[in-house]
Amino acid sequence: SLNGDYPTARSFLEQSLEIGRELGASANLNQGEALVFLGQIAANEGDAASAWTLFENSLVYLREIQDRNITAYVLRRLGQLAWHRGAFVKASAYCQESMTLNVEVGDQRGVVACLAAFAGIAAARGETLRTAQLYGAVDALLNAIGIRLLQADDTEFNRNVAALRARMDDQALAAAWAQGRAMTMEQAVQYAMDN
């Protein structure tokens, strides 16, 4: 990691993009990955418009080589950017495609991150019960698998759970959370996708 030195990181990545353009089609994975990293830097800096463009451009290269893992991540990030600007239908479509790819490749971390993304969409729509149930499922699955959410997702999780505590009485929140915790991964995926 470059410890938040985004200008240096951007310089390295832009150089790698130039090299990739010279190498042509064989460099599609490198091109796609570099654009993803540039998109993540833009997102971390709060430049949602640039992040959107970079993530969308990365998909051109990633789809060309039929990559599924990184594509799933990018689609989830695009979903997140979409719901932050209130485009819930688009956000759900991106997250559904991301979830499908994660299930296909058996990426449990990606599946749980998508469940958290669907919870984020529900939170943004003010669907408190659904949000609590999905976050309950995320909480249980993180513990069962022994993983953590990425920092950006974890921050969103904590912010949304704090908002739930403010909006729901303790008993209702605990009940909804328990319903989510009781779901298997397959049940949680089905519930999230049944939008």
Side-chain angles (χ1 to χ4, degrees), residues 16-28 30-31:
S16 80
L17 280 171
E18 283 300 315
I19 294 164
R21 286 190 196 102
E22 289 174 28
L23 293 173
S26 64
N28 277 353
N30 288 342
Q31 296 281 91

Side-chain angles (χ1 to χ4, degrees), residues 15-131:
Q15 287 171 45
S16 80
L17 280 171
E18 283 300 315
I19 294 164
R21 286 190 196 102
E22 289 174 28
L23 293 173
S26 64
N28 277 353
L29 179 60
N30 288 342
Q31 296 281 91
E33 286 181 329
L35 287 164
V36 172
F37 285 122
L38 285 167
Q40 197 56 61
I41 290 169
N44 291 349
E45 292 179 327
D47 185 354
S50 293
W52 183 276
T53 300
L54 289 159
F55 285 143
E56 288 242 295
N57 289 343
S58 77
L59 286 179
V60 175
Y61 294 100
L62 296 170
R63 290 193 195 280
E64 184 73 27
I65 58 169
Q66 299 182 326
D67 170 88
R68 292 188 290 180
N69 278 94
I70 305 171
T71 299
Y73 173 80
V74 171
L75 288 165
R76 185 166 55 79
R77 285 284 169 241
L78 283 166
Q80 195 169 35
L81 290 168
W83 89 65
H84 283 172
R85 62 191 201 193
F88 301 128
V89 173
K90 186 176 279 192
S92 290
Y94 278 125
C95 290
Q96 294 225 2
E97 189 180 352
S98 178
M99 179 70 89
T100 299
L101 290 173
N102 282 312
V103 169
E104 282 175 6
V105 299
D107 183 350
Q108 291 187 314
R109 182 187 295 271
V111 168
V112 177
C114 280
L115 290 172
F118 279 109
I121 295 170
R125 289 164 120 168
E127 299 170 352
T128 52
L129 185 65
R130 182 176 175 82
T131 304

